[in-house]
Amino acid sequence: MNAKSYKLLIILASAGLVLALVVTGLLLTQGDAKNEFSSKSSAETKEPVPNFTLLLIDGKNFNLSDYKGKPILINFFASWCLPCREEMPALEKIAHEYKPKGVVFLGIAIDDTEEKMKNFIAKYGVTFPVGLDKTAAIQKSFGLYGIPTTYFIDKRGIINYFHSGSVTEELLQHELDKLL
Amino acid sequence: MGGGAAVWGGFSSFFSIWQVCILQISPFFIAFIVGIYLATVGKKADPEIRRWLLIPCITYGIGFSVFYSLLIASGLNISRPLIHNIGLLRVVSGIIILFVGLYILLVNRISFLGKIHTPLLLSTLSLLIGVTFALVYSPCITPMLSDIMGIASQRNTAVEGWYMAFWYGLGVSIALCMTSVALILFAGRQEIVLRNANLIKNICGIILLILAVMNITGLMRHYKAFVLGFVL
C-alpha cells in the first residue's frame, strides 16, 4: 500500500468513525438517557464536612467551625470555568433570598489567581464571602476533581448533598429548603 | 445512558464551547504528537509513520480515559486516594512530562535515543502522557458529565459511573487524536514544515517542558486563569 492510499484509508476510517459516533450518539441520546439525566445529576452523601479556614478577599478569615449549627452552602468555582459563569447569577439570587433565613454562603475559587477571581466576583456582583484556595488544601479535603461543585451542609455539619456541575435556582431552593 | 452516548458526549464537547476547558491539555497533546511525528519523519519508511502515530493515539486514549474516569468516580475506593494526593501526583506528572519533552528535544542529537525510538517506546510515552494529562486536568463539568459524576459518586452505582466516565474520556481523546492526526496529515507534508522540521520539533519539546515546569511549580493555575480566562 503506497502513501496516498494509506492516507485515504485513514481519512475514510476517520470519517467513518465520526459518522458512526454521530449516529450512535443520536440514537442513544434519544432513548432512555433523557429520563435518567434529571434524576441522577447530583449525589446524596452523609459525611461530615472537613473543617478549614479560608482567607477571604476582604482580608477576614472564614473558619467553618464558627458556623456550626447553621446550614451552609459551599460553591467551588474558577473564573475561567464556563459553567461557573453560568450558575453564578442563580447563586447570587438565591443567596439574597436565603441569607435572611440563616443560610451561610461561601464561594471558594480553585485553580485560579487572586486578580482573576476578584474580577470575576466584581463582574457577577457576588456579595457572599469568597476566598481563594491557594494551596488546594480545601479542594483536596473535599475530594474535588471538577468544577463547579456545590456542597449543601446541614446544621450538624454533615454534607447532606452535593452537586457536580452548574446549579439552577430550582435545585438550590430544593436543597436549601431541606436544610432549614 | 450507555457507553455510546458517553463517547458522543465527550467527543462533541471537544468541538463545542467546552473546548475552552480542554485547552488545558489540547495544545500540549498536539505539541507531543507533532513532536514525535517530526522526530520520526524522514527517518523511517513513510507508511510506518502513520502507524507510529495511530498506536500512540490509542495508548494515549487508554491512559487518559482510565485515570480520568477513576478521578471522576468518587464513589470508588481507589478514587479518594488519587484525589487526596492530586497535588503530589501533578508534580510527578510534571516530572514525567519533563522527561518526555527532553526526549523530543534530544532524540535526534543523542544516538542512544535514536536507537530506542521505536513504536513501542512512543506508545509507552503516549500512555504516560495520557495518564499525566488526566491528572493535571481540571475538568469543567458539562451537563452530561454532571450526570455521570452524580452516578459515579454513589457507592452503589460507582462502577456504572466509572464505566460511563471512561467512555466520556475516550470520546474526548478520540476527538483530540483525530484533530492532531488531521493537522499532521494537512500540514505535515508542507514544504515549509519539512524544511523546519527540527525547529518545530524543538518548539514542541519546549512547549512540553513549559507544561512540566508549570505543574512542578504550581504555576498551572496561572495558565488556566490567564489563557483560558482570556479565551472566554
Side-chain angles (χ1 to χ4, degrees):
Chain A
M1 191 183 286
N2 61 28
K4 275 189 179 175
S5 52
Y6 203 86
K7 187 177 177 178
L8 185 66
L9 186 68
I10 290 175
I11 293 169
L12 285 173
S14 304
L17 185 65
V18 173
L19 191 65
L21 284 167
V22 170
V23 173
T24 312
L26 285 174
L27 285 173
L28 291 172
T29 48
Q30 279 179 5
D32 57 333
K34 196 166 53 182
N35 298 327
E36 270 186 51
F37 279 8
S38 56
S39 61
K40 286 189 173 176
S41 60
S42 310
E44 282 188 28
T45 173
K46 300 293 174 192
E47 291 179 24
V49 63
N51 193 27
F52 62 85
T53 302
L54 177 72
L55 180 64
L56 302 174
I57 51 173
D58 60 8
K60 293 176 188 167
N61 275 327
F62 183 100
N63 194 342
L64 191 73
S65 57
D66 295 344
Y67 296 90
K68 207 161 186 180
K70 290 185 174 183
I72 304 167
L73 180 147
I74 301 176
N75 175 253
F76 287 90
F77 71 97
S79 64
W80 48 267
C81 150
L82 189 66
C84 305
R85 295 177 179 207
E86 284 174 359
E87 70 173 1
M88 204 44 87
L91 268 167
E92 179 57 23
K93 188 182 172 194
I94 295 297
H96 273 288
E97 195 180 319
Y98 280 81
K99 268 196 280 187
K101 296 177 183 176
V103 179
V104 176
F105 284 74
L106 175 67
I108 303 179
I110 60 167
D111 275 338
D112 216 337
T113 63
E114 206 159 317
E115 184 197 349
K116 290 285 179 182
M117 176 192 68
K118 283 178 179 171
N119 291 344
F120 179 86
I121 295 308
K123 185 178 176 184
Y124 290 93
V126 178
T127 55
F128 55 83
V130 172
L132 175 64
D133 181 21
K134 282 182 186 169
T135 60
I138 304 172
Q139 179 189 355
K140 279 185 263 180
S141 66
F142 276 78
L144 198 74
Y145 183 51
I147 42 174
T149 301
T150 306
Y151 290 84
F152 300 85
I153 298 143
D154 69 16
K155 292 173 182 173
R156 296 167 301 150
I158 303 291
I159 300 171
N160 193 53
Y161 195 73
F162 74 90
H163 180 85
S164 304
S166 193
V167 288
T168 60
E169 283 179 37
E170 292 74 27
L171 185 143
L172 290 168
Q173 282 169 334
H174 180 253
E175 291 308 318
L176 288 174
D177 285 341
K178 287 200 282 188
L179 301 182
L180 292 172
Chain B
M1 190 192 336
V7 170
W8 173 245
F11 183 85
S12 57
S13 72
F14 187 88
F15 297 106
S16 67
I17 186 71
W18 300 101
Q19 169 59 225
V20 176
C21 287
I22 305 169
L23 274 174
Q24 291 172 60
I25 52 171
S26 53
F28 302 104
F29 177 76
I30 291 170
F32 168 72
I33 209 83
V34 170
I36 62 169
Y37 171 77
L38 293 177
T40 312
V41 71
K43 294 168 189 65
K44 309 287 176 185
D46 192 51
E48 268 189 68
I49 290 172
R50 308 279 156 67
R51 262 180 279 160
W52 284 41
L53 287 182
L54 292 180
I55 297 170
C57 277
I58 292 167
T59 55
Y60 167 83
I62 293 168
F64 178 82
S65 305
V66 167
F67 275 77
Y68 176 78
S69 54
L70 288 176
L71 288 159
I72 291 285
S74 57
L76 292 177
N77 287 335
I78 192 171
S79 173
R80 285 283 170 110
L82 282 176
I83 295 171
H84 282 282
N85 294 295
I86 196 79
L88 175 66
L89 290 169
R90 283 178 175 169
V91 173
V92 174
S93 297
I95 294 167
I96 293 169
I97 296 166
L98 183 82
F99 281 113
V100 175
L102 285 173
Y103 175 81
I104 290 173
L105 269 176
L106 301 173
V107 65
N108 295 341
R109 292 176 194 171
I110 299 174
S111 59
F112 166 73
L113 293 179
K115 281 178 193 166
I116 61 167
H117 190 72
T118 59
L120 180 65
L121 179 76
L122 296 189
S123 300
T124 309
L125 291 181
S126 289
L127 184 74
L128 287 172
I129 285 289
V131 172
T132 57
F133 279 20
L135 292 168
V136 304
Y137 184 44
S138 299
C140 295
I141 303 172
T142 64
M144 183 183 276
L145 192 56
S146 172
D147 295 321
I148 293 173
M149 290 179 91
I151 298 165
S153 62
Q154 301 294 302
R155 287 202 176 271
N156 55 341
T157 54
V159 175
E160 186 193 344
W162 168 79
Y163 170 79
M164 285 189 287
F166 175 84
W167 290 111
Y168 187 93
L170 201 61
V172 175
S173 303
I174 290 169
L176 182 52
C177 287
M178 277 179 57
T179 306
S180 306
V181 172
L183 180 73
I184 288 170
L185 287 175
F186 175 73
R189 296 277 127 199
Q190 305 292 321
E191 184 60 30
I192 191 166
V193 173
L194 291 172
R195 208 169 47 237
N196 299 294
N198 205 43
L199 174 68
I200 298 169
K201 176 188 75 69
N202 289 342
I203 290 170
C204 290
I206 291 166
I207 289 171
L208 285 175
L209 292 185
I210 292 169
L211 176 65
V213 171
M214 285 196 299
N215 277 289
I216 293 168
T217 59
L219 288 173
M220 191 67 185
R221 65 192 173 94
H222 288 269
Y223 169 77
K224 290 172 187 173
F226 284 96
V227 178
L228 277 59
F230 180 76
V231 174
L232 277 170

